[in-house]
């Protein structure tokens, strides 16, 4: 095969075709070699054997192969695949399925089972999108041939906007009063609150006063992210540099956790410097944090819903209500689309962020 070397796009397209033909040729050679050992056979025998070999790989085995291709922070994607595989096993009576079983009847039956088990629309969509992604990946890898009918054409794969509930200043104040010592360096031992619940409260308040730092960024914060009276970090989601003034509330919470992170480079006792998978540790901590936040909300008697994202949404909403400029809020949250990493922020912008934090603290203190 002669391919153009000066036209990159055409070269890539032709190489894809060549690779597909090469894979098919190898499959044919394997089938023919197998039939040779069984005696006489026809072209129809070859065609039937090739067709029957298509999609014979088990779903879980294929997902494991895909997972092995990913590394570092990209492990979240295969993690989503594994979650989908576990769900399908439950649907299928604890058994795995072959890739060839992914057809319209199976997919629609799986969707009906998810809804029958009280799964929300977005949860159903999540599993469907993961299964569709694996299905398409298997086709691209030439281990599955897609049929004439799209198995996913009649199932829900959209995303509904979820209701985001921001706390008002009085509700933030209610959370603070569950253990006031967290924010004034006294660390009172509230007998009604176990240490793990106090930890979750402390992390939520740190996230809130840290300009709505997301839980993943909080988990990965290191001690060297503290520079002077600021916390400087790059968002995991966008790579954007964020600078948050280090207020007394945040300093108090850092001191609260300090005894448990001696010898660690991390600011919070969530991840470890070595040993094990920090991605798994983070995901486990996130689940536990949201479970405990629901309990903390119930303890206040005034907060209906509480999640890790509520800290971020609440900070932004209160800042907006306190007339903080939208451009300042966007910068504080790291919501710009700039690709260039900013190492330093000029003093003018930092002063704006300090003033925004002061306005929010005044709003909380005034709340009754």
């Amino acid at each position: 095969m002669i391919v153009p070397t000066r036209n990159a796009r055409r070269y890539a397209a032709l190489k894809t075709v060549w690779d597909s033909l090469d894979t098919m040729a190898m499959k044919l050679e394997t089938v023919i070699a197998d039939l040779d050992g069984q005696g006489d056979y026809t072209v129809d025998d070859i065609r039937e054997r090739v067709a029957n070999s298509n999609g014979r790989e088990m779903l879980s085995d294929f997902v494991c192969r895909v997972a092995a291709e990913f590394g570092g922070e990209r492990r979240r994607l295969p993690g989503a695949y594994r979650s989908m595989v576990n769900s399908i096993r439950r649907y299928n009576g604890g058994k795995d399925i072959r890739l060839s079983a992914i057809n319209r009847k199976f997919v629609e039956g799986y969707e009906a089972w998810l809804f029958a088990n009280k799964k929300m629309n977005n949860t159903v969509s999540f599993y469907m999108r993961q299964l569709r992604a694996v299905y398409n990946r298997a086709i691209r890898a030439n281990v599955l041939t897609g049929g004439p009918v799209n198995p996913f054409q009649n199932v829900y794969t959209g995303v509904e906007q979820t209701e985001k509930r921001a706390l008002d200043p009085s509700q933030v104040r209610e959370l603070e009063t569950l253990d006031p010592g967290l924010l004034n360096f006294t660390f009172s031992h509230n007998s009604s609150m176990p240490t793990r619940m106090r930890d979750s409260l402390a992390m939520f308040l740190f996230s809130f006063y840290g300009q709505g730092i997301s839980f993943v960024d909080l988990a990965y914060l290191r001690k060297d992210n503290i520079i002077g009276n600021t916390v400087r970090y790059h968002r995991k989601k966008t790579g954007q540099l964020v600078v948050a003034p280090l207020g007394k509330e945040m300093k108090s919470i850092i001191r609260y956790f300090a005894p448990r992170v001696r010898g660690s480079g991390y600011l919070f006792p969530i991840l470890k410097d070595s040993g094990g998978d920090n991605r798994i540790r983070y995901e486990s901590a996130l689940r536990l944090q949201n479970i405990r936040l629901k309990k903390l909300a119930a303890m206040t008697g005034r907060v209906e819903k509480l999640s890790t994202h509520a800290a971020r949404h609440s900070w932004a909403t209160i800042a907006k209500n306190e007339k903080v400029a939208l451009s300042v809020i966007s910068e504080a949250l790291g919501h710009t689309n700039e690709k260039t990493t900013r190492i330093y922020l000029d003093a003018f912008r930092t002063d704006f962020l300090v003033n925004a934090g002061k306005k929010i603290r005044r709003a909380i203190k005034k709340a009754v």
Side-chain angles (χ1 to χ4, degrees), residues 135-359:
Y135 175 81
N136 290 334
R137 186 178 286 273
I139 291 175
R140 291 195 299 271
N142 295 308
V143 298
L144 182 66
T145 301
V149 178
N150 176 8
F152 301 89
Q153 64 182 9
N154 295 325
V155 297
Y156 180 67
T157 56
V159 179
E160 291 184 350
Q161 288 292 331
T162 56
E163 183 182 5
K164 295 179 179 178
R165 298 196 177 188
L167 304 181
D168 61 37
S170 65
Q171 290 173 316
V172 176
R173 187 66 173 165
E174 284 286 332
L175 285 170
E176 291 182 353
T177 55
L178 290 177
D179 193 343
L182 283 173
L183 303 183
N184 61 22
F185 300 92
T186 59
F187 313 136
S188 60
H189 294 284
N190 189 336
S191 59
S192 66
M193 184 179 292
T195 300
R196 290 179 180 178
M197 293 295 290
R198 187 182 296 111
D199 290 353
S200 291
L201 176 60
M203 291 179 189
F204 180 87
L205 292 174
F206 187 94
S207 175
F208 174 78
Y209 281 109
Q211 297 174 177
I213 179 174
S214 66
F215 190 74
V216 64
D217 290 325
L218 180 145
Y220 280 87
L221 274 184
R222 299 184 66 85
K223 294 172 182 176
D224 54 16
N225 289 124
I226 306 298
I227 302 175
N229 283 318
T230 62
V231 180
R232 295 172 180 253
Y233 65 95
H234 292 86
R235 292 193 66 202
K236 286 287 181 183
K237 185 175 182 179
T238 64
Q240 182 71 25
L241 175 67
V242 177
V243 176
L246 196 63
K248 78 173 187 63
E249 297 89 355
M250 297 165 70
K251 290 179 181 178
S252 182
I253 291 170
I254 289 173
R255 189 176 297 180
Y256 167 73
F257 284 110
R260 280 181 281 164
V261 291
R262 288 196 182 105
S264 170
Y266 289 102
L267 209 56
F268 295 95
I270 299 174
L271 308 181
K272 294 185 178 180
D273 289 299
S274 62
D277 190 329
N278 272 337
R279 186 77 224 176
I280 294 176
R281 287 194 180 98
Y282 156 70
E283 291 173 350
S284 176
L286 176 63
R287 286 192 294 270
L288 288 173
Q289 178 73 350
N290 279 317
I291 290 172
R292 291 167 186 163
L293 287 178
K294 290 180 181 179
K295 295 178 180 179
L296 288 169
M299 289 170 64
T300 67
R302 294 195 55 208
V303 179
E304 292 184 28
K305 290 186 178 181
L306 196 60
S307 67
T308 53
H309 187 73
R312 187 171 179 80
H313 189 53
S314 299
W315 189 92
T317 301
I318 295 173
K320 181 181 178 182
N321 292 339
E322 291 299 310
K323 311 302 181 186
V324 175
L326 186 59
S327 59
V328 175
I329 297 173
S330 295
E331 183 169 302
L333 296 176
H335 272 171
T336 78
N337 291 322
E338 296 175 7
K339 299 298 182 181
T340 304
T341 302
R342 293 174 295 152
I343 304 302
Y344 301 101
L345 291 180
D346 58 55
F348 181 70
R349 290 182 177 176
T350 303
D351 287 345
F352 267 141
L353 297 177
V354 171
N355 289 334
K358 288 179 179 177
K359 287 184 177 182

Side-chain angles (χ1 to χ4, degrees), residues 28-66:
L28 283 170
E29 289 175 4
T30 301
V31 169
I32 291 172
D34 185 49
L35 289 172
D36 277 340
Q38 298 179 24
D40 295 334
Y41 57 92
T42 66
V43 172
D44 287 337
D45 292 327
I46 297 174
R47 184 172 56 204
E48 182 181 358
R49 182 68 65 88
V50 170
N52 289 337
S53 68
N54 180 50
R56 291 181 64 82
E57 186 171 3
M58 304 305 291
L59 176 64
S60 60
D61 291 338
F62 182 72
V63 168
C64 286
R65 285 206 293 119
V66 170

